[in-house]
Amino acid sequence: MEEQFILRVPPAVAERIERLLNDLASSSEDKAMDLSFSEDGRTGKFIIGNDHFPASLLDLLTVVESYKTYDDDVLIKTADIGQMIMVREDNDNIPESLEHRHDLTPPMRDARRRRFRREPDLNVLVTLSQFKFYLPLYIKFFLETDHIVSLLGVL
């Protein structure tokens, strides 16, 4: 399997990348493209020509599979994509979390809030009091049943 990611860029940068890939770059300055990350591995800079853009590595909510074909008939799975590099303009907001909020498609907009289960808010004191209350009942129940006692080797 290959290692792949999704590169999301602003429209103006997308046009420059498309010209670069189609080898229609007007000058030698447009032919330079680089992506470098800082020590934390989550923030970095995307460089195309002489322009620098801030970039962030974000986790996707869902895993996206990518496929390729050699004969336009049979698809071969090449990777599971779980991360996206988001390139933004200098004046755009920095993402608050390490996870991309909206994923890739419009139906997944704000999906973490709408579709996934929230983490339970456990109060330690309430949990301990319930455990102390129910533990003697469980012990009494298990000792009164014959099959548990026979498993313990008492009978």
Side-chain angles (χ1 to χ4, degrees):
M1 293 266 264
E2 300 174 1
E3 291 185 24
Q4 297 178 2
F5 59 87
I6 293 174
L7 181 66
R8 181 172 278 183
V9 296
V13 177
E15 291 173 7
R16 290 179 69 182
I17 292 173
E18 187 175 354
R19 281 195 315 256
L20 179 69
L21 293 177
N22 291 334
D23 205 25
L24 299 176
S26 60
S27 67
S28 63
E29 292 179 356
D30 279 345
K31 293 191 179 192
M33 187 168 59
D34 188 31
L35 178 65
S36 60
F37 285 97
S38 60
E39 290 182 13
D40 67 351
R42 290 287 182 166
T43 58
K45 290 221 174 271
F46 180 76
I47 304 167
I48 183 165
N50 291 330
D51 296 328
H52 298 264
F53 299 96
S56 299
L57 179 67
L58 302 173
D59 296 330
L60 295 173
L61 293 175
T62 57
V63 175
V64 179
E65 295 179 346
S66 69
Y67 294 90
K68 68 179 172 183
T69 182
Y70 295 108
D71 57 1
D72 293 331
D73 190 30
V74 177
L75 293 174
I76 300 169
K77 182 178 174 182
T78 57
D80 288 329
I81 302 172
Q83 292 181 323
M84 172 177 63
I85 297 176
M86 180 176 283
V87 178
R88 51 189 196 282
E89 299 286 342
D90 289 328
N91 54 1
D92 288 348
N93 294 335
I94 299 172
E96 297 109 26
S97 67
L98 300 176
E99 187 174 67
H100 186 55
R101 182 175 177 187
H102 301 303
D103 217 47
L104 298 176
T105 60
M108 290 296 290
R109 182 158 187 83
D110 208 13
R112 172 67 66 198
R113 182 183 57 83
R114 292 185 305 117
R115 297 184 185 204
F116 295 115
R117 181 181 294 174
R118 293 184 182 92
E119 292 290 326
D121 184 27
L122 296 178
N123 186 347
V124 176
L125 297 176
V126 173
T127 306
L128 285 176
S129 66
Q130 290 176 348
F131 181 73
K132 288 178 183 177
F133 176 76
Y134 286 111
L135 184 62
L137 297 175
Y138 285 137
I139 292 174
K140 181 179 177 186
F141 172 76
F142 286 131
L143 289 178
E144 287 177 356
T145 57
D146 292 335
H147 64 281
I148 298 296
V149 174
S150 64
L151 287 175
L152 294 175
V154 176
L155 291 178

